[in-house]
Amino acid sequence: MPGLLFAFFLSVSGLTVPGSGYASNAEMIHGHAAAQNGAEQDIRVYPGGQTIGVKVKSAGVLVVGHHLVDVTGQTKISPGETSGLLPGDLMVSIDGVKLNEISRVSDLVKRAGDTGSELNIRYIREGKERTARLKPAYDRNDKVWRLGLYIRDSAAGVGTLTFYAPREGVYGALGHVITDMNTGTPIVVGSGHIVESNVTSISKSQDGDPGEKRAVFMKEGQVLGNVESNTDFGIFGKMGRNPDHSLYREPIPVAMSSEVKEGAAQILTVVEGQRVERFNVEIIHVSRQQEPATKGMVLRITDSRLIDKTGGIVQGMSGSPILQQGKLVGAVTHVFVNDPRSGYGCFIEWMLKDSGAAQQHSFHPNLKAV
């Protein structure tokens, strides 16, 4: 199985209206709003909008499927499946050897096969560490020892930079977690980086078929930052400067979720080359969240220029900054499959928290009166 998976990053939803999971509106605890506004004034960031290429290696080797090994002509087996390993399991070591490269697996499997010994595999499933033992099977056609598993250790794709926080030297992008395409399992990042990317064409969205940005990664020398974490609210890491093609020469304030209102807003994104453009949208629903949750607002594209170019929200647009009244309020995260002019966004405060920028400023999540 190839070690590299290419995927455009954007989540999709089959919904066209907000679900019943939205919390009802409630006033904030008296005095907390003032504390939040003080924290807000202390956090200023550069809104992004640049298309980025993302390359990550997982903190181990991910099982993405089973396959049968032809051992006799009449008998086909999958030692990995028999051992209880499932798609989505993250193998972190074999016989005590840490799996930081997928190439190590074949060497360890060959050694066990040649000596007739079992492999002791340590893996993680749903956050819990487990072990499995299996003996490799000899593939009579390819004349190699096999586990009967499809595995992968890296992924790559295209998304959008949301913000760069200059004082803290951190960034946030995508607005949602990167998952493995085959298993839907969130990727546990071992290492990675983001690079400049150039949009070459757009496949337009239409009802039932979200489109995508087609882009190419710039040369490796254009690394913008590293990838340290992959959370429900995107990817985060260190960045040394505001990237090229920014629409802002100075950082701007951010808005708490309690400040976001239904009404006019803008998003920043790239539809051609590397040029960041501003497009009009309308925020049509705002969720008052008691705790971090990904679907904080519903927005609709109203800018005829963007609709003509893309048909609405397309894959690769996730992470596009959402601005309202001169403040950064959130990021585009999902597109509605059967209404691609609409989608979800997350609040910027949750992304700032996961980036580490908010914690350095005593930035606290919303509370609601009870």
Side-chain angles (χ1 to χ4, degrees), residues 15 17-24 285 287-290 293 295 344:
L15 301 177
V17 296
S20 60
Y22 284 95
S24 60
H285 183 86
S287 172
R288 300 306 175 195
Q289 297 174 339
Q290 300 182 65
K295 297 174 182 178
Y344 283 117

Side-chain angles (χ1 to χ4, degrees), residues 45-214:
V45 302
Y46 289 97
Q50 297 93 331
T51 296
I52 55 172
V54 183
K55 298 182 179 183
V56 294
K57 287 183 67 68
S58 59
V61 174
L62 186 68
V63 177
V64 298
H66 301 123
H67 73 86
L68 296 175
V69 181
D70 187 351
V71 292
T72 67
Q74 289 77 37
T75 305
K76 296 182 179 181
I77 62 173
S78 170
E81 184 175 14
T82 302
S83 74
L85 287 168
L86 298 174
D89 290 344
L90 183 68
M91 300 192 300
V92 293
S93 71
I94 294 179
D95 290 345
V97 177
K98 186 176 180 180
L99 299 181
N100 52 16
E101 292 287 345
I102 200 168
S103 59
R104 290 196 171 189
V105 177
S106 58
D107 294 337
L108 293 166
V109 171
K110 181 179 185 304
R111 184 175 67 185
D114 290 343
T115 59
S117 56
E118 283 189 324
L119 293 169
N120 182 41
I121 299 176
R122 185 166 60 90
Y123 66 97
I124 296 173
R125 178 186 298 168
E126 298 178 346
K128 295 182 179 179
E129 187 174 302
R130 305 167 185 247
T131 60
R133 297 190 67 85
L134 62 84
K135 291 186 69 172
Y138 191 72
D139 188 322
R140 72 184 187 96
N141 297 315
D142 295 333
K143 298 185 177 3
V144 293
W145 294 99
R146 298 197 183 279
L147 295 178
L149 297 172
Y150 290 116
I151 58 177
R152 178 163 47 240
D153 70 346
S154 59
V158 170
T160 303
L161 181 71
T162 306
F163 68 87
Y164 165 61
R167 189 184 310 179
E168 301 75 21
V170 298
Y171 76 88
L174 303 188
H176 65 79
V177 68
I178 300 176
T179 59
D180 178 76
M181 178 176 288
N182 294 88
T183 66
T185 305
I187 293 175
V188 180
V189 173
S191 63
H193 58 269
I194 60 174
V195 299
E196 292 185 2
S197 187
N198 185 71
V199 176
T200 57
S201 64
I202 299 284
S203 172
K204 293 178 67 170
S205 283
Q206 52 188 333
D207 291 354
D209 182 19
E212 65 183 19
K213 292 184 182 183
R214 298 190 179 100

Side-chain angles (χ1 to χ4, degrees), residues 23-30 32 288-290 366-370:
S24 60
N25 292 337
E27 292 186 357
M28 296 172 63
I29 293 176
H30 180 69
H32 186 68
R288 300 306 175 195
Q289 297 174 339
Q290 300 182 65
N366 278 7
L367 298 179
K368 294 175 65 179
V370 293

Side-chain angles (χ1 to χ4, degrees), residues 219-266:
K219 60 183 181 180
E220 289 297 322
Q222 300 297 327
V223 171
L224 300 174
N226 67 352
V227 181
E228 295 184 348
S229 61
N230 175 35
T231 79
D232 288 342
F233 297 95
I235 59 170
F236 306 91
K238 296 292 193 300
M239 182 181 284
R241 64 176 179 85
N242 189 32
D244 295 337
H245 311 290
S246 173
L247 290 184
Y248 290 80
R249 293 186 176 181
E250 298 293 335
I252 68 170
V254 300
M256 307 299 98
S257 60
S258 60
E259 299 177 76
V260 183
K261 309 297 182 184
E262 294 178 2
Q266 302 83 39

